[in-house]
Amino acid sequence: MSASSNAIESVLVENRVFPPADSVVKAARVSGMAGYEALCAEANKDPEGFWARLAREHLQWTKPFTQTLDESKAPFYQWFADGELNASANCLDRHMGTPVENKAAILFEADDGTVTQVTYRQLLERVSQFANALKAHGVQQGDRVLIYMPMGVEGVVAMQACARIGATHSVVFGGFSAKALNERIIDAGAVAVITANYQLRGGKELPLKAIVDEGLSMGGCDSIKNVFVYQRTATACDMVAGRDKTFSEILAGQSTECPPTPVGAEHPLFILYTSGSTGKPKGVQHSTGGYLLWAKVTMEWTFDIRPDDVFWCTADIGWITGHTYVAYGPLAAGATQVVFEGVPTYPNAGRFWQMIERHKVTVFYTAPTAIRSLIKAADSDESVHPKNWDLSSLRILGSVGEPINPEAWMWYYRHVGGERCPIVDTFWQTENGGHVITPLPGATPLVPGSCTLPLPGIQAAIVDETGKDLPNGAGGMLVIKRPWPSMIRTIWGDPERFKKSYFPEELGGTTYLAGDGAVRSADRGYFRITGRIDDVLNVSGHRMGTMEIESALVAKTDLVAEAAVVGRPDDLTGEAICAFVVLKRSRPTGEEAKQIATELRNWVAKEIGPIAKPKDIRFGDNLPKTRSGKIMRRLLRSIAKGEPITQDTSTLENPAILDQLAQSN
């Protein structure tokens, strides 16, 4: 056999190719494939020289670095380690005294449609003032601060203010539960929480501060000294005397000038928790220098950002995309960006298109799930079809969070981009800090559903289980063979897990394992991501560990004896969560089964957050296991998909469960 016997088979062939228009090629920063290949050649010939050049060109250093890469403690790589800088100064101060100073940094559109404009000068003042307030309350360099905020200017200000004083932020998405907050506060040893009384989404007021209170009351959060509360709405929330203060209280009397604290390039800028294949969330730690460098460079390469662009990334700051392409990248590049508080379907599913027209957005970056739900809406209601709005300002479209299926890509290309806007289908992960495989708008011929080629300096490859390179056309595991500046530095407080998760011994201990399967096309060598190789699901672009959901189900101890969770393909969300449950009582059927399924869904929402609710819940007398007692997840995946069972089931004690588990509730 030419390919590895355990190669992942790829069945999708895509023959449509869309080369970039000549006008786009001519104007682009990276112009044509020759421009891309020249950068790749520079990076391959002298990697350290390449990265050092970019770091000197793109960042302002308070103390220049003399060492580019230190790999003496691999895989704990260090970049520009003896250099010093400040992330906030590179996003704000550097623009003072330039035309950018009085330009709009953020165009904030609230849930109700109210628009607020903040210039770079105003943003610097707000960040400095907030940084002074943090310092006045004892927050110091190296402290961890947890941020649990709605989408808005205040969330970006909070992140930038932490960076300004050298405190490490950990943002938690506003849809996560009290328990998820509690775990993250304890793991990070946070000294303060920055939150809001409520958030507004889709016309509804949703509590945030009450969830923080619940999380803190679960115990183990003795490290927390302060809770700072932004009053987003007029509705009062409980305040604990001595611990809780409103933004207006802490900002009163604070100066709008705060000198940025220089930190070492390796200083942790933030920790962002992500689901792993075991139950405990992983605190992905990112550096200051390497991370910021890549945030800025990818703004220029992938989005070809220009001074007159209006950039809009729809991601929440609770996810890595909102860190790199809302809170840091656009500001480092001196761009104007739209920040949106609400949801794409409120007051109707034309909201995105209306906003693109209103703000004259030129670069639009969103997730395939959002695109698929808007396709569905436009198909059933002509009045919310993008053709009803003037989208002629758009010049580049982007996709992020999960692979985009070719048909959704074509719709996006036709109906949103009017067949003139390149789509940058970006592949990257929380651990990567910024794009790793993506088309460049003025260089790469596009193929629907393919993230195409790695960025210059990123040595991506596809290998089998032993680390051997696979030929084009054979699917295998996606790896990156050489370190790059914006990569994860460690898992906070757990270096062993970091090595095991990302640099496994079987691959030599220095090759980064992405955890995704991929295949390269036989004709162009383009990459296409085929899905996770571990027990992690990608639901609407959000990574969900199956183990985490299983643990949440089993935590309902009065009802659940055992649970197994798998993913199945879903037209809307990419993957849907399917839970197989054995109860501590007889197996329910009919109406009762539906009732219990609803109870379990609500329970998971409370334990993890609504995004983790299983779409299907199926009950069985027991679960299919191997003789050694391992749950046969492959079999469950087949059942979830409704595929005929081809594997050997003769070892099953109770074959009747196969029919039981096929019934969805």
Side-chain angles (χ1 to χ4, degrees):
M1 282 186 65
S2 58
S4 154
S5 56
N6 43 20
I8 302 159
E9 193 184 347
S10 170
V11 288
L12 188 105
V13 177
E14 179 58 67
N15 297 318
R16 293 170 289 195
V17 181
F18 299 86
D22 290 345
S23 57
V24 176
V25 173
K26 278 196 190 78
R29 247 190 206 84
V30 180
S31 175
M33 283 307 278
Y36 164 77
E37 281 155 4
L39 283 166
C40 291
E42 179 193 354
N44 293 341
K45 189 166 154 227
D46 175 12
E48 285 197 35
F50 170 76
W51 291 116
R53 170 178 78 78
L54 290 177
R56 289 190 184 103
E57 282 176 15
H58 287 272
L59 296 178
Q60 285 187 350
W61 297 84
T62 41
K63 179 183 167 208
F65 60 91
T66 62
Q67 187 180 21
T68 304
L69 169 64
D70 175 0
E71 40 190 327
S72 59
K73 295 188 187 73
F76 299 95
Y77 299 104
Q78 294 208 317
W79 286 90
F80 323 116
D82 60 349
E84 289 182 0
L85 73 169
N86 180 280
S88 174
N90 270 280
C91 291
L92 300 168
D93 306 54
R94 70 172 307 166
H95 303 304
M96 296 305 116
T98 76
V100 174
E101 179 176 347
N102 298 311
K103 171 178 169 176
I106 294 176
L107 303 168
F108 170 60
E109 180 163 328
D111 190 61
D112 66 3
T114 313
V115 177
T116 315
Q117 177 176 314
V118 182
T119 67
Y120 271 88
R121 161 66 59 194
Q122 289 165 331
L123 191 58
L124 171 61
E125 286 173 356
R126 286 177 64 169
V127 166
S128 299
Q129 194 178 29
F130 201 90
N132 284 327
L134 291 175
K135 282 201 290 197
H137 285 83
V139 179
Q140 297 173 355
Q141 181 175 339
D143 283 343
R144 276 80 59 207
V145 175
L146 193 113
I147 299 176
Y148 187 62
M149 289 285 282
M151 273 304 279
V153 179
E154 289 71 21
V156 175
V157 165
M159 292 165 80
Q160 285 279 345
C162 290
R164 198 162 189 84
I165 61 172
T168 300
H169 59 68
S170 185
V171 186
V172 178
F173 171 61
F176 275 132
S177 67
K179 185 167 175 283
L181 263 173
N182 172 273
E183 288 171 353
R184 287 158 174 72
I185 290 168
I186 296 170
D187 192 75
V191 301
V193 176
I194 303 174
T195 186
N197 58 345
Y198 291 88
Q199 58 178 339
L200 288 167
R201 285 175 72 83
K204 289 190 197 67
E205 204 174 49
L206 303 166
L208 286 175
K209 170 67 167 55
I211 296 172
V212 170
D213 289 344
E214 189 187 337
L216 292 174
S217 70
M218 291 174 174
C221 302
D222 306 337
S223 57
I224 295 288
K225 306 284 184 287
N226 291 289
V227 176
F228 304 119
V229 184
Y230 167 55
Q231 290 171 294
R232 173 67 189 95
T233 67
T235 312
C237 63
D238 285 341
M239 297 289 279
V240 174
R243 184 194 73 182
D244 303 352
K245 294 183 184 74
T246 65
F247 274 26
S248 27
E249 285 171 312
I250 64 166
L251 294 171
Q254 293 295 348
S255 160
T256 53
E257 282 179 33
C258 170
T261 305
V263 296
E266 281 297 317
H267 177 75
L269 177 63
F270 63 88
I271 305 163
L272 185 54
Y273 286 86
T274 179
S275 283
S277 45
T278 66
K280 188 174 178 275
K282 296 186 283 201
V284 171
Q285 181 184 317
H286 274 291
S287 73
T288 300
Y291 168 80
L292 197 66
L293 168 66
W294 204 224
K296 168 104 174 357
V297 170
T298 49
M299 282 297 299
E300 294 199 355
W301 286 356
T302 313
F303 299 120
D304 192 41
I305 208 78
R306 298 176 188 170
D308 54 351
D309 272 321
V310 176
F311 176 79
W312 181 18
C313 164
T314 66
D316 189 282
I317 54 170
W319 309 110
I320 188 69
T321 306
H323 280 56
T324 310
Y325 300 108
V326 178
Y328 289 106
L331 298 175
T336 294
Q337 65 169 323
V338 173
V339 171
F340 174 46
E341 181 175 38
V343 294
T345 50
Y346 175 80
N348 58 55
R351 182 72 181 264
F352 273 7
W353 323 130
Q354 180 197 349
M355 284 179 62
I356 292 171
E357 177 181 273
R358 170 187 280 183
H359 301 291
K360 301 204 169 16
V361 172
T362 57
V363 182
F364 178 63
Y365 192 36
T366 194
T369 297
I371 296 164
R372 287 193 291 264
S373 71
L374 296 172
I375 295 176
K376 205 168 159 185
D379 284 349
S380 59
D381 177 1
E382 193 84 342
S383 71
V384 296
H385 192 285
K387 66 181 179 195
N388 298 304
W389 285 271
D390 175 7
L391 307 182
S392 60
S393 58
L394 288 169
R395 64 181 193 91
I396 291 171
L397 299 174
S399 166
V400 60
E402 51 188 312
I404 183 165
N405 48 307
E407 288 325 301
W409 191 103
M410 284 305 306
W411 186 90
Y412 194 27
Y413 183 72
R414 271 195 196 116
H415 298 290
V416 181
E419 299 188 15
R420 61 173 201 287
C421 302
I423 297 179
V424 288
D425 173 3
T426 61
F427 168 80
W428 58 300
Q429 305 163 301
T430 304
E431 296 86 349
N432 307 150
H435 305 147
V436 288
I437 307 176
T438 176
L440 296 179
T444 321
L446 303 173
V447 168
S450 166
C451 49
T452 68
L453 294 167
L455 281 170
I458 304 288
Q459 288 202 10
I462 295 173
V463 300
D464 64 12
E465 267 87 348
T466 62
K468 193 166 98 302
D469 279 276
L470 289 170
N472 288 357
M477 301 188 301
L478 179 66
V479 297
I480 301 177
K481 291 188 169 182
R482 289 288 303 146
W484 71 101
S486 71
M487 67 196 294
I488 175 175
R489 293 303 192 261
T490 186
I491 291 173
W492 179 260
D494 202 342
E496 279 311 303
R497 189 176 178 195
F498 165 75
K499 285 198 293 198
K500 221 163 67 210
S501 300
Y502 302 112
F503 294 92
E505 276 307 321
E506 11 335 348
L507 297 179
T510 59
T511 296
Y512 172 84
L513 176 67
D516 279 286
V519 62
R520 297 190 75 165
S521 62
D523 52 350
R524 298 173 177 268
Y526 277 9
F527 285 77
R528 186 169 58 77
I529 307 298
T530 51
R532 298 289 299 175
I533 56 175
D534 55 12
D535 289 319
V536 177
L537 313 176
N538 192 332
V539 181
S540 302
H542 306 320
R543 258 170 56 173
M544 296 273 113
T546 53
M547 186 76 189
E548 218 172 331
I549 305 166
E550 287 169 15
S551 309
L553 284 163
V554 175
K556 186 135 179 60
T557 49
D558 59 328
L559 200 54
V560 176
E562 202 174 16
V565 169
V566 299
R568 64 165 177 79
D570 183 84
D571 287 347
L572 190 60
T573 56
E575 247 182 319
I577 301 169
C578 182
F580 297 93
V581 178
V582 178
L583 297 178
K584 288 182 170 174
R585 42 150 283 181
S586 58
R587 181 173 63 87
T589 53
E591 219 32 60
E592 190 186 24
K594 285 192 174 46
Q595 226 171 325
I596 296 175
T598 303
E599 187 182 347
L600 291 177
R601 281 191 188 95
N602 294 338
W603 170 264
V604 171
K606 196 166 169 350
E607 285 285 293
I608 305 173
I611 47 178
K613 275 187 185 180
K615 193 161 186 179
D616 302 353
I617 293 187
R618 304 170 177 208
F619 298 107
D621 293 329
N622 45 42
L623 293 175
K625 291 179 182 172
T626 61
R627 284 206 172 98
S628 62
K630 269 184 110 171
I631 296 172
M632 297 164 78
R633 290 173 195 275
R634 210 162 53 167
L635 180 66
L636 290 177
R637 281 192 201 97
S638 298
I639 297 173
K641 289 179 191 165
E643 294 171 346
I645 306 296
T646 52
Q647 67 194 91
D648 182 17
T649 53
S650 59
T651 57
L652 288 180
E653 288 157 57
N654 176 5
I657 62 170
L658 296 181
D659 289 335
Q660 295 173 7
L661 296 170
Q663 293 165 32
S664 194
N665 297 289

